[in-house]
Amino acid sequence: MIDHKPLRQIWTHHDTALLVILLLITSLLFGVAIDVGEFWWTDESRHAMDGVYFMDLFKDRPFDHLYDYTVQYFVRYPALGFTWYPPFFAFIEGLVFSVFGASELTARLTVLFFCLAGLTAWYLWARPVWGSLPSFFAGLFFITNPLVLLWGRSVMLEIPAVAMIMLSLLSFHYYLRRPSHTLSLLTGIIIAATLLTKQITVFILPLMIIYALLAGAGKQLWSRKSVWAYFMTTVALVLLIIHANKFGVTALGGFGRNIDGMLSERMIERLTLNARVIWAAYPFPLLLLSGVGLVAGLTMKRTNRDLFGIAWLVIWYIFFTLISQEFNNLLRYTIYLTPAMGILAARTLSLLPAHRPFRNFGIAALILLYAGYAYSGLKSEHLMVSGYKEAARFVLDNNSSGTVLFCCKNDGNFTFHVKQGDEARRQVILRADKVLVSFVVHKQYGVESYVKNKSDIYDLLDRYGVNLIVAEDKDLVGLPEFKLLLDILKSDKFEKLKEIDLVSNVPQFQGVRLGIYRYKERKKIEGGEIILHMPHLGRELRLRVD
């Protein structure tokens, strides 16, 4: 599997052309939606705000009081996702924001940067192993996949994580080909960065061991030169373990429930769930190509290259069966399988007749197939929502004192746009899901309520010095505490200042309006201090407000 010739000896002008075409198609498919609307998925704004945090961190350099700085930042702009996600993507995004400014456009460009870097690494890695055309068509399989386009056009971690996996494979390949302390350290750094992009990339570690064994380079795994790679990987794993123990109790509990579920009477249903997910994730012609490649790899002149693609499929299936039983989440997680499915689909090229006219006809048919999906991707409407930016601008223009309470669903989108215009950092945003109740990401992880009736809500508004309330007119989260807040906003204690119609092609947000209300009986913040109860962290977060 490992060609020990330098890449420059096997690289041709055809490779340059194929790689350029692949990157241009990627830029076009991602670029058509690069500046369309605001963040539509709640996690997008979390990832963007994490990048904004790093941008400010680079500017303020508060390294002598980093913990207090971070706590105060979160209390003021409560849309950070560090308790759930590792920081590497946000770190790079913060660098991009520092140069080009923070916006939806630059956040999406950061994802595109990762995608282009990952595809370049993919081709450089796959070219010596599978050849030019299979590597090219495997890349097309990836970038024309509808789920890759959906989540790749969004500010989500899937594409950056897969890109880092591709960079890890490339560096690991070159280390196995010509081991050295420098390549060992570089490989370790890249693998560590991969793990610190998203935790679930850990599934790549056993796959890399299998790759080394199939390449006949297993002895390099035990070389003294490998110690640097092991050290950096271990550091990243330790950090993830600490992070999970400190912040990820709810996620670890979900993992435990997944294991219990597989041992229940629904075992067969749970074990076959990913098969149904794979069936739903890929258009039938592409799924058929991968299936033919899988059968060919198992039965016809099986090579170690074929076994690697199959091993990727098997490891993905086992790993993601263990970590999730949510169909929609698993559907998104097929993005981590798609490179392997592309490898298997490209295997069909070896089945084409050697006779040139027939082979050329088969290649042309594949080009037409992928061109059709690329065209479909160009015409597909990217999901979007708009209106939160307008609300944020209104708040910035009309709130010179007091805090702002947001309810109910897309608080991160609103917070991101407030932060964009709050250079002096005078605003304090309160989230209804942190002050009326407390829960982490999903209600099924448990909800702790802080209000039982209208009187409790008024006490809370007084204690936190709330001046303005920004609220979606429908409780999109589905909590009685939120409905209670929406009901009291109709009382004469509140003045409706503005109403904004959300514009969206996401069914959940269609017909929803944002109302901005002034609380007529606003009080000063009790004790001059905002206190957020964070039961999942086992602590309180505090911010002194002048």
Side-chain angles (χ1 to χ4, degrees):
M1 286 175 62
I2 295 179
D3 191 332
H4 289 272
K5 295 179 181 177
L7 184 64
R8 64 178 180 272
Q9 291 186 12
I10 60 174
W11 190 271
T12 69
H13 65 279
H14 295 294
D15 290 302
T16 302
L18 290 175
L19 179 56
V20 169
I21 291 171
L22 190 62
L23 298 182
L24 287 175
I25 293 173
T26 303
S27 299
L28 183 61
L29 289 173
F30 280 58
V32 293
I34 203 74
D35 197 23
V36 178
E38 300 164 24
F39 303 121
W40 72 277
W41 189 255
T42 52
D43 284 358
E44 286 190 272
S45 55
R46 301 285 186 265
H47 301 316
M49 274 303 299
D50 289 348
V52 173
Y53 165 83
F54 271 109
M55 177 185 72
D56 287 337
L57 186 72
F58 300 149
K59 180 168 57 178
D60 298 338
R61 296 188 290 278
F63 302 118
D64 58 339
H65 59 287
L66 183 59
Y67 176 79
D68 290 338
Y69 176 88
T70 304
V71 166
Q72 293 169 19
Y73 200 99
F74 177 80
V75 176
R76 189 177 291 277
Y77 307 113
L80 301 181
F82 292 129
T83 58
W84 200 259
Y85 302 107
F88 181 70
F89 172 77
F91 176 83
I92 300 300
E93 186 182 39
L95 293 175
V96 176
F97 285 172
S98 297
V99 177
F100 301 105
S103 67
E104 292 96 340
L105 173 63
T106 47
R108 291 169 185 149
L109 282 172
T110 307
V111 176
L112 177 57
F113 164 76
F114 271 92
C115 189
L116 295 175
L119 282 170
T120 301
W122 167 267
Y123 192 90
L124 294 175
W125 166 69
R127 167 61 181 87
V129 181
W130 282 276
S132 300
L133 280 180
S135 302
F136 174 72
F137 281 117
L140 284 182
F141 187 102
F142 181 79
I143 62 172
T144 59
N145 178 264
L147 288 171
V148 169
L149 290 177
L150 171 63
W151 297 108
R153 289 168 172 172
S154 307
V155 185
M156 296 290 284
L157 297 182
E158 272 61 45
I159 297 304
V162 172
M164 293 306 300
I165 287 172
M166 294 173 176
L167 284 164
S168 295
L169 286 172
L170 176 65
S171 182
F172 188 58
H173 172 88
Y174 277 98
Y175 171 73
L176 294 178
R177 187 174 69 89
R178 189 170 296 175
S180 70
H181 291 289
T182 300
L183 281 176
S184 175
L185 179 60
L186 177 62
T187 300
I189 291 172
I190 295 175
I191 293 174
T194 301
L195 298 174
L196 295 176
T197 300
K198 192 161 186 177
Q199 297 94 324
I200 55 179
T201 56
V202 71
F203 85 94
I204 201 66
L205 297 180
L207 187 61
M208 295 177 80
I209 293 173
I210 290 174
Y211 179 76
L213 296 176
L214 291 175
K219 64 180 181 180
Q220 305 299 352
L221 297 174
W222 315 116
S223 167
R224 290 182 179 180
K225 295 174 183 176
S226 298
V227 68
W228 297 108
Y230 283 123
F231 174 75
M232 295 303 301
T233 302
T234 301
V235 168
L237 289 172
V238 169
L239 290 175
L240 290 182
I241 292 170
I242 294 172
H243 182 274
N245 286 330
K246 197 172 186 65
F247 303 122
V249 176
T250 52
L252 293 174
F255 176 75
R257 287 191 292 273
N258 291 335
I259 301 299
D260 292 340
M262 283 188 291
L263 300 177
S264 68
E265 65 277 3
R266 300 175 61 189
M267 178 186 294
I268 300 301
E269 178 185 345
R270 296 291 181 92
L271 292 177
T272 58
L273 175 60
N274 268 330
R276 300 193 298 274
V277 167
I278 291 172
W279 179 264
Y282 300 98
F284 179 74
L286 300 184
L287 191 62
L288 180 62
L289 279 177
S290 297
V292 170
L294 174 63
V295 173
L298 289 171
T299 60
M300 301 174 60
K301 296 181 179 179
R302 184 171 64 243
T303 66
N304 287 348
R305 294 179 302 177
D306 299 321
L307 292 177
F308 179 72
I310 296 168
W312 192 321
L313 172 61
V314 172
I315 289 175
W316 179 91
Y317 197 100
I318 294 172
F319 180 81
F320 285 94
T321 296
L322 291 174
I323 70 165
S324 179
Q325 291 295 325
E326 296 291 335
F327 187 90
N328 288 334
N329 283 344
L330 288 169
L331 202 60
R332 186 168 83 245
Y333 294 156
T334 57
I335 292 174
Y336 298 94
L337 174 64
T338 300
M341 297 293 281
I343 289 172
L344 295 173
R347 174 68 165 81
T348 57
L349 287 169
S350 66
L351 305 179
L352 295 176
H355 192 51
R356 182 175 293 274
F358 292 105
R359 181 173 177 80
N360 289 344
F361 177 81
I363 292 173
L366 283 176
I367 291 174
L368 288 175
L369 176 67
Y370 286 117
Y373 284 111
Y375 179 76
S376 177
L378 282 174
K379 302 298 290 184
S380 63
E381 185 179 31
H382 181 59
L383 299 180
M384 54 76 67
V385 62
S386 291
Y388 296 95
K389 182 185 292 186
E390 183 181 350
R393 288 173 176 170
F394 183 88
V395 166
L396 289 167
D397 291 338
N398 293 275
N399 187 52
S400 58
S401 62
T403 62
V404 181
L405 174 63
F406 184 93
C407 180
C408 300
K409 174 76 173 178
N410 215 338
D411 55 85
N413 205 338
F414 172 75
T415 303
F416 176 79
H417 290 107
V418 168
K419 178 61 185 72
Q420 272 187 308
D422 190 24
E423 291 297 327
R425 302 183 201 174
R426 293 174 179 167
Q427 302 295 331
V428 177
I429 310 300
L430 301 171
R431 283 168 51 182
D433 64 344
K434 297 300 180 190
V435 295
L436 272 66
V437 298
S438 183
F439 69 92
V440 185
V441 184
H442 302 296
K443 291 184 295 182
Q444 59 262 37
Y445 292 145
V447 178
E448 182 171 341
S449 178
Y450 302 132
V451 295
K452 303 298 182 184
N453 49 49
K454 293 181 179 180
S455 177
D456 288 344
I457 291 184
Y458 285 121
D459 288 344
L460 183 145
L461 296 179
D462 293 342
R463 185 166 68 251
Y464 285 112
V466 173
N467 181 37
L468 298 182
I469 300 172
V470 181
E472 296 147 349
D473 65 353
K474 297 178 182 177
D475 175 15
L476 301 177
V477 181
L479 288 173
E481 293 86 352
F482 290 2
K483 186 178 185 303
L484 191 61
L485 174 64
L486 295 179
D487 287 341
I488 71 167
L489 289 175
K490 300 172 185 176
S491 75
D492 58 5
K493 291 186 177 182
F494 300 90
E495 176 189 4
K496 181 181 282 190
L497 303 177
K498 189 175 181 63
E499 191 170 67
I500 300 168
D501 292 319
L502 294 183
V503 177
S504 179
N505 54 9
V506 180
Q508 184 183 37
F509 293 107
Q510 290 177 344
V512 176
R513 292 181 175 181
L514 275 180
I516 303 177
Y517 303 82
R518 183 176 65 85
Y519 181 37
K520 297 178 181 178
E521 301 180 5
R522 179 179 77 85
K523 308 292 191 301
K524 290 185 177 181
I525 297 171
E526 188 175 280
E529 186 175 44
I530 301 288
I531 302 175
L532 293 184
H533 302 283
M534 307 290 282
H536 64 289
L537 298 181
R539 70 189 67 181
E540 295 177 341
L541 305 182
R542 297 170 179 264
L543 171 69
R544 294 294 306 177
V545 180
D546 296 330

